[in-house]
């Protein structure tokens, strides 16, 4: 296993999925609690419990973040995460009983697989039960139904999934990220500028979404795009001590990773959302280095969300999906 978000001490990841329906859930657990924050840039988000992550809100600790397929239906998976944490006695102290705090966000994957089945409480519970330090990438969990490059419609899109990466700073601070990339736009290798995945031409070759937006291509199926069949979700974690305001700034800086790797991004049809979890196990080197490195680490995670989806051979049922996306090759 390569660098991953679980290199941050106190962070675990679990996946659960429906291989037939091509939808799933990925849970990032912080059982001992973490300062949480969020930055939402997309025009079509589907979220739960994000208001309490504002710096002015009272609750200062979260215990998990649930990333789910199924569009708004998939938010039900967070209920299972809450149940699992509650059974472990984990939650925000209220004087009556601990209440687990579980922000969640969803991608739209209903256009692939079975649109009548989506993540539920049982799947969220199962993802928690499966959580550990080893993080599977590619077509797993919330990424099993993820696709990218939808400017020409789903029939010309390409498979994506889950990716993760981490980096250790000179002082020992660890910053990790996990991404579920289901973008409307294309995905690029930030360092080389190479187009990694995106919309296909009729002959199967990659096309440039930005060129199509400039009018150098066939008529665009905006009706399909406007269904909101997109969204990139991410969780950035660090073992540094941060306030909610500091964690919010790190989330804002980490969003730069999406702009570096996805074109176009933050569209009216994406619900791009980046969460931050700060476990507070060591002194912070400062918001500036943390935010800058968070963007670097998240960019690598986004790139891996497509490259690992190919290397693992796609997902069960991709070849028979009339509405589904194409695999590389």
């Amino acid at each position: 296993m390569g660098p991953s978000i679980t290199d941050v001490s106190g962070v675990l990841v679990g996946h659960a999925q429906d291989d037939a329906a091509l939808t799933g859930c990925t849970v990032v657990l912080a059982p001992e609690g973490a300062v949480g924050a969020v930055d939402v840039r997309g025009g079509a988000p589907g979220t739960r419990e994000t208001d309490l992550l504002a710096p002015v809100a009272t609750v200062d600790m979260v215990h998990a973040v649930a990333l789910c397929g199924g569009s708004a239906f998939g938010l039900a998976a967070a209920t299972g995460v809450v149940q699992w944490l509650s059974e472990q006695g984990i939650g925000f102290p209220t004087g009556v009983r601990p209440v687990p705090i579980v922000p969640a966000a969803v991608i739209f994957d209903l256009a692939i697989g079975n649109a009548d089945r989506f993540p539920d409480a049982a799947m969220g519970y199962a993802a928690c039960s499966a959580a550990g330090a080893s993080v599977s990438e590619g077509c797993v969990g919330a990424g099993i139904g993820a696709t990218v490059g939808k400017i020409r419609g789903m029939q010309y899109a390409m498979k994506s999934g889950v990716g993760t990466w981490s980096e250790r700073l000179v002082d020992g601070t660890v910053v990790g990220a996990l991404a579920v990339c289901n973008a409307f736009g294309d995905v690029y290798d930030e360092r080389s500028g190479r187009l990694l995945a995106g919309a296909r031409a009729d002959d199967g070759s990659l096309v440039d979404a930005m060129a199509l937006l400039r009018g150098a291509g066939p008529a665009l199926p905006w009706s399909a795009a406007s269904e909101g069949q997109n969204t990139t979700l991410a969780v950035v974690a660090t073992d540094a001590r941060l306030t909610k305001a500091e964690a919010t700034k790190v989330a804002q800086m980490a969003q730069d990773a999406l702009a570096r790797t996805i074109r176009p991004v933050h569209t009216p049809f994406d619900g791009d959302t980046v969460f931050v979890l700060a476990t507070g196990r060591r002194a912070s080197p400062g918001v500036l280095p943390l935010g800058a490195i968070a963007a670097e680490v998240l960019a690598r995670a986004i790139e891996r969300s497509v490259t690992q989806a190919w290397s693992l051979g796609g997902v069960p049922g991709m070849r028979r999906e009339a509405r589904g996306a194409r695999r590389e090759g």
Side-chain angles (χ1 to χ4, degrees):
M1 186 183 79
S4 78
I5 192 172
T6 56
D7 292 334
V8 177
S9 183
V11 172
L12 305 171
V13 171
H15 301 298
Q17 66 219 29
D18 184 329
D19 289 332
L22 299 182
T23 192
C25 175
T26 296
V27 176
V28 180
L29 288 174
E32 297 179 17
V35 171
V38 69
D39 186 70
V40 181
R41 299 280 176 95
T47 59
R48 161 177 164 157
E49 297 275 39
T50 51
D51 285 353
L52 62 77
L53 299 179
V56 295
T58 300
V59 174
D60 60 356
M61 283 281 170
V62 302
H63 307 96
V65 174
L67 310 178
C68 314
S71 191
F73 301 105
L75 289 171
T79 299
V81 180
V82 170
Q83 179 185 350
W84 187 90
L85 289 166
S86 179
E87 290 176 2
Q88 317 305 311
I90 296 170
F92 181 77
T94 66
V96 179
R97 58 172 296 170
V99 176
I101 306 300
V102 182
V106 296
I107 65 170
F108 187 107
D109 58 3
L110 302 181
I112 185 171
N114 187 334
D116 295 325
R117 285 164 41 192
F118 15 78
D120 56 12
M123 187 178 288
Y125 190 99
C128 292
S129 298
S134 179
V135 184
S136 296
E137 300 178 87
C139 301
V140 295
I144 194 171
T147 51
V148 297
K150 282 161 261 188
I151 195 167
R152 299 193 66 210
M154 279 298 295
Q155 68 269 35
Y156 296 104
M158 192 169 166
K159 196 67 191 70
S160 182
V162 173
T164 188
W165 198 250
S166 72
E167 186 173 331
R168 187 179 298 273
L169 280 61
V170 173
D171 71 350
T173 303
V174 179
V175 181
L178 180 143
V180 181
C181 189
N182 189 55
F184 172 75
D186 303 332
V187 178
Y188 287 77
D189 182 303
E190 177 197 7
R191 293 157 293 185
S192 70
R194 183 168 66 97
L195 177 57
L196 296 176
R200 296 281 195 165
D202 292 345
D203 64 3
S205 62
L206 287 167
V207 298
D208 183 345
M210 296 303 294
L212 293 180
L213 286 171
R214 291 185 173 96
L220 304 179
W222 294 115
S223 60
S226 64
E227 294 174 13
Q229 301 171 356
N230 314 290
T231 292
T232 295
L233 305 177
V235 179
V236 171
T238 179
D239 53 4
R241 284 193 293 275
L242 297 174
T243 65
K244 290 178 72 176
E246 290 170 335
T248 299
K249 176 50 67 177
V250 171
Q252 292 172 348
M253 294 177 72
Q255 276 274 13
D256 287 351
L258 278 67
R260 295 176 187 176
T261 56
I262 303 170
R263 305 174 199 167
V265 72
H266 304 147
T267 76
F269 313 128
D270 288 274
D272 302 323
T273 302
V274 175
F275 295 95
V276 165
L277 297 175
T279 62
R281 296 195 172 193
R282 59 184 303 117
S284 171
V287 170
L288 175 57
L290 284 177
I293 298 302
E296 295 278 321
V297 170
L298 181 50
R300 302 293 85 75
I302 292 169
E303 293 162 3
R304 291 180 65 82
S305 73
V306 293
T307 60
Q308 294 304 296
W310 310 337
S311 67
L312 296 178
V315 295
M318 281 301 296
R319 292 192 184 278
R320 69 174 186 269
E321 284 300 321
R323 296 177 298 159
R326 305 182 185 203
R327 292 189 293 184
E328 172 70 358

